[in-house]
Amino acid sequence: MQNKYNKIMEYVKKSIKESELKAGDKVTSVRKIANHFKCSTSTVIHAFEELKRENVIFSIPQSGYYVVEKDNINNKEKSISDFSSVCPGESIVQKPEDDNTIDFSSVYPNPTIISNLDFGQCITHAIKIHKDSLYEYSDIKGFFALRKALQKHLAGYQVFADTDNIFITSGVQQALFILACMPFPNGKKNVLIEQPTYFGMKRVLELNNVTALGIERDKEGIDLGTLERYFRNDDIKFFYTMPRFHNPTGYSYTKSQKKDILKLAEKYDVYIVEDDYLADLELDSKSDPLISHDLSNRVVYLKSFSKTVLPGLRIGLAVMPKVLYNVFKEYKACCDITTNVLSQGALEVFIKSGMYDTHIKQIRKHFLKQMDTLRKACNLYLPTECKASIPRTGVFTCIELPPSTNARLFSMKLHSESIYLTDIEDLFLQDYRKSNIVRLSLYRVNNEKILKGIRTISCVIKDSIGRIPSRTKYDGSILF
């Protein structure tokens, strides 16, 4: 049996080497291979799974096995993008990647939890099925096949949209840039943003000389009275918000808060730009996006695929109200004519094959466990002078430091301990009152590093407030 297993692998490899099977070609079915070699289908599947591990073939559920294009698979070199030059508020301090480094600052998903191999296979398959389209510009709105797949995908999140109202953008960042620049039907000019907020949005407004006003966001949400005063008095074009898994705090609005925000927006003719960048991590089936409660068609819904699939994919989507459709389309055409065609084709394969759903289930489990470990570590180690409200899941959370501890100096002190996190001063408007909090990201830490990192953070805090702790190093044992 073992001999036949090896022969099947050699047969497939020989077929590829002699060009009988080319990149993207479907491999002969399991049953036909079993009949040819006079063996069981389980033996064939075992051989095929080993070929998958060697990145020779890939599978698409309910379709079959296909040939992978071999291209620098064993290349281990990595390039580091200097993201800080674009978004200093989201900067990643260049640091050694070793076992002693604890990185709570990274905004990039860890390759070990992202399906690089599976998605690479989707790219290969997309080249085969969309090869003619790769030589042409696609629709300004994006591939119709992808928009159709996304229509069904979004319905699972209680976002019901016509394919005509779905735009594929070069990341959500492009959509934010266009929305900041383009005129809105209400004729208003200013933009209201939560404080703190995503640095990329803050920077877009600054570079385009758009007047930005801030409203405080904490674990209780926002003050609706303050929101109403802004909507009534300050010429607000739109309100940019992250209703769930807010960056940098990790907080989420309740259902009633979402409805109250929409009522005020309708009353004062203000549009809402909802950035649902981590929708995939939602665990509560009753927690719907803000757009699902929108009865007056004034919510622009944005969703990213960078934080849960691949940052380099640069695919985002925007669901546009009909009243904004034409002007958004016109502005987008001036930006890039069309979003990357190959990325769109690969994402369509990823979603339609069922690989996306499988991947997201794994991601949800991962961050649920990570956040649970963080919560327990904070409860165990953090001094009472700190405040930490850890969400059930997500990738970002924050710690409010004691008033006597300066967040920026605190972050610098931790660098000497090989711990990296983000003080969020740059995530506030320049003249807005700053909060003394630091952001923690779970993208690049495992359970052991979470425990070790929180213990060290607690020691540094106690040092700063004069409560000299024991600096006994974490011994690696799981304490709960």
Side-chain angles (χ1 to χ4, degrees), residues 29-46:
S29 72
V30 170
R31 188 166 299 279
K32 286 184 178 180
I33 292 284
N35 290 337
H36 178 77
F37 284 92
K38 294 181 172 56
C39 64
S40 67
T41 56
S42 62
T43 299
V44 181
I45 291 173
H46 186 196

Side-chain angles (χ1 to χ4, degrees), residues 168-353:
I168 311 302
T169 58
S170 301
V172 164
Q173 191 67 36
Q174 183 190 50
L176 294 176
F177 189 91
I178 293 172
L179 291 165
C181 296
M182 69 183 238
F184 274 57
N186 57 16
K188 300 178 182 181
K189 304 295 183 183
N190 302 331
V191 173
L192 182 66
I193 57 178
E194 296 159 333
Q195 291 292 277
T197 194
Y198 166 52
F199 182 85
M201 184 59 187
K202 170 178 170 279
R203 192 61 176 148
V204 158
L205 298 173
E206 290 172 347
L207 290 176
N208 287 286
N209 295 315
V210 177
T211 299
L213 304 173
I215 182 168
E216 184 177 3
R217 170 85 180 262
D218 59 25
K219 64 180 179 179
E220 304 300 329
I222 55 175
D223 183 78
L224 293 172
T226 302
L227 183 68
E228 182 168 16
R229 286 196 296 274
Y230 275 122
F231 282 3
R232 182 179 61 237
N233 301 325
D234 289 284
D235 199 39
I236 302 299
K237 178 169 75 169
F238 67 78
F239 172 39
Y240 171 74
T241 177
M242 290 169 277
R244 51 183 168 188
F245 309 121
H246 177 256
N247 179 7
T249 64
Y251 302 142
S252 297
Y253 288 135
T254 64
K255 182 177 180 179
S256 62
Q257 288 170 336
K258 294 172 188 175
K259 289 184 174 181
D260 288 337
I261 291 170
L262 283 169
K263 287 177 182 177
L264 291 174
E266 182 177 7
K267 181 178 180 180
Y268 294 102
D269 192 18
V270 174
Y271 287 85
I272 305 291
V273 174
E274 177 179 18
D275 190 344
D276 204 14
Y277 75 109
L278 279 184
D280 292 323
L281 295 190
E282 183 60 72
L283 299 171
D284 184 358
S285 61
K286 296 182 180 180
S287 179
D288 298 328
L290 197 149
I291 192 175
S292 68
H293 307 290
D294 179 24
L295 301 178
S296 58
N297 294 314
R298 61 181 58 253
V299 174
V300 176
Y301 179 83
L302 307 178
K303 185 178 185 297
S304 172
F305 295 93
S306 296
K307 300 301 185 185
T308 54
V309 184
L310 287 173
L313 184 64
R314 302 315 303 144
I315 293 289
L317 69 84
V319 177
M320 283 291 141
K322 289 184 178 180
V323 71
L324 299 177
Y325 173 93
N326 287 330
V327 66
F328 187 88
K329 182 179 180 181
E330 190 173 340
Y331 271 70
K332 186 181 187 303
C334 290
C335 286
D336 65 356
I337 302 178
T338 182
T339 300
N340 184 282
V341 176
L342 180 56
S343 292
Q344 291 187 67
L347 183 59
E348 184 228 350
V349 172
F350 198 53
I351 292 173
K352 290 182 69 175
S353 68

Side-chain angles (χ1 to χ4, degrees), residues 141 147 161-167 318-323 325:
K141 299 191 297 293
R147 288 186 285 124
D162 294 334
T163 53
D164 278 346
N165 295 99
I166 298 174
F167 283 80
V319 177
M320 283 291 141
K322 289 184 178 180
V323 71
Y325 173 93

